[in-house]
Amino acid sequence: MIINPNGQTAMTYGKQTALPQTKQTKDEYMISNIDTTAGKRPKKEKFKPAVLLTREAMEATVNDYKRLKLEHVSLMAKMESEKTAVEKRYEERINTVARDIESGFASVHNYCVTHRSELLPGDRKSFETVAGTVKFYDTPHRVEVRGKETLGALAKRLLGLVFNAGTPEEVSCDKYVREADPTVNKDALLADRTRFTDEQLKAMGVRFEQDEIFAIDLKSDLAEGDKTNAENAA
């Protein structure tokens, strides 16, 4: 059914039919004839292999199977070819933007480390901008071996290392060894890292390290907006 632009007549299988003239009736008429299935995705067919009853049907299915496999290979090759073309189309632009991102990040990092006392007085480690948060943050502590001693050799030595033996403050270092290998139990060491003195750590042959990382955390709303702008520009 086709509604004329003037809204007064309709064509139904080649016959011209006058539409009702009252506004309410015309609206009801048009609404009742809207195709409500337009734009809907078809339901996914339920997977159910066909039951073959004859050899002829089986061989015909083998032939069809071969045809479909070849079609699948062809479609996959076509898709990969188109993906390659798209990648080549955007490669130079993406590389240029990536270089600009790295350059901008390095410039901000250098400014912040050379003006840190002005930007971050006292114990502050971050500050806000319109675009996001610029910050320095510490990584979790990790266990490092002092000198050239291997973890295996260190683990065996810790099995017999005791501090303050025979006193209430006695600390037996065998608790920091997983005896199956044996190897150093770094998780146990990290859990007790604040209880050791510098002298004890030197005797144990370990130290606790952590790194400071510089980062720029963009605000999520701006990141989404930038993504939308990029998609529109593309």
Side-chain angles (χ1 to χ4, degrees):
M1 178 176 294
I2 302 174
I3 306 297
N4 281 349
N6 58 18
Q8 294 179 341
T9 60
M11 297 297 296
T12 307
Y13 300 107
K15 295 173 63 179
Q16 191 173 51
T17 305
L19 288 173
Q21 295 303 306
T22 63
K23 184 177 185 302
Q24 181 180 10
T25 308
K26 284 201 305 181
D27 289 344
E28 292 174 351
Y29 180 84
M30 294 178 71
I31 291 173
S32 66
N33 285 276
I34 292 175
D35 183 2
T36 57
T37 64
K40 291 186 177 180
R41 295 181 62 183
K43 290 184 178 180
K44 188 175 181 180
E45 293 184 7
K46 185 177 180 180
F47 180 80
K48 187 176 182 180
V51 178
L52 305 178
L53 301 179
T54 65
R55 175 165 182 161
E56 289 77 9
M58 179 272 294
E59 292 189 3
T61 302
V62 171
N63 292 337
D64 197 44
Y65 174 82
K66 177 182 178 181
R67 177 187 63 78
L68 291 171
K69 289 286 286 185
L70 293 173
E71 181 181 357
H72 186 267
V73 170
S74 176
L75 288 172
M76 292 296 292
K78 183 178 180 181
M79 180 185 72
E80 291 299 325
S81 175
E82 292 181 2
K83 284 170 60 177
T84 301
V86 171
E87 288 172 355
K88 287 183 177 179
R89 176 183 168 193
Y90 284 95
E91 182 178 12
E92 183 177 355
R93 181 179 172 189
I94 288 174
N95 289 340
T96 298
V97 172
R99 283 195 300 271
D100 290 345
I101 290 172
E102 292 177 350
S103 176
F105 184 88
S107 296
V108 173
H109 190 181
N110 288 338
Y111 182 87
C112 289
V113 295
T114 55
H115 296 78
R116 183 163 181 167
S117 60
E118 304 167 25
L119 297 169
L120 300 169
D123 296 331
R124 290 184 58 192
K125 302 200 72 170
S126 66
F127 62 90
E128 298 292 325
T129 72
V130 174
T133 303
V134 180
K135 65 181 182 179
F136 293 89
Y137 68 93
D138 296 324
T139 62
H141 284 86
R142 64 183 184 276
V143 177
E144 296 285 353
V145 178
R146 295 174 183 264
K148 297 182 179 180
E149 192 171 19
T150 65
L151 281 174
L154 175 60
K156 292 174 182 176
R157 188 165 62 80
L158 291 180
L159 287 172
L161 182 61
V162 179
F163 295 118
N164 304 317
T167 71
E169 292 78 28
E170 179 177 302
V171 177
S172 178
C173 293
D174 60 355
K175 65 181 290 187
Y176 304 117
V177 177
R178 291 191 176 98
E179 296 190 29
D181 297 325
T183 188
V184 176
N185 188 336
K186 294 183 178 182
D187 292 335
L189 280 170
L190 289 170
D192 288 350
R193 65 182 177 81
T194 58
R195 68 181 298 182
F196 300 114
T197 65
D198 290 340
E199 290 75 16
Q200 288 174 334
L201 289 174
K202 289 179 181 178
M204 295 169 69
V206 299
R207 64 177 183 271
F208 299 107
E209 297 284 354
Q210 65 179 158
D211 300 316
E212 185 178 67
I213 305 296
F214 176 77
I216 302 174
D217 290 342
L218 298 178
K219 293 181 179 178
S220 59
D221 55 340
L222 289 176
E224 288 299 321
D226 291 342
K227 179 180 177 182
T228 301
N229 292 336
E231 290 173 348
N232 292 337

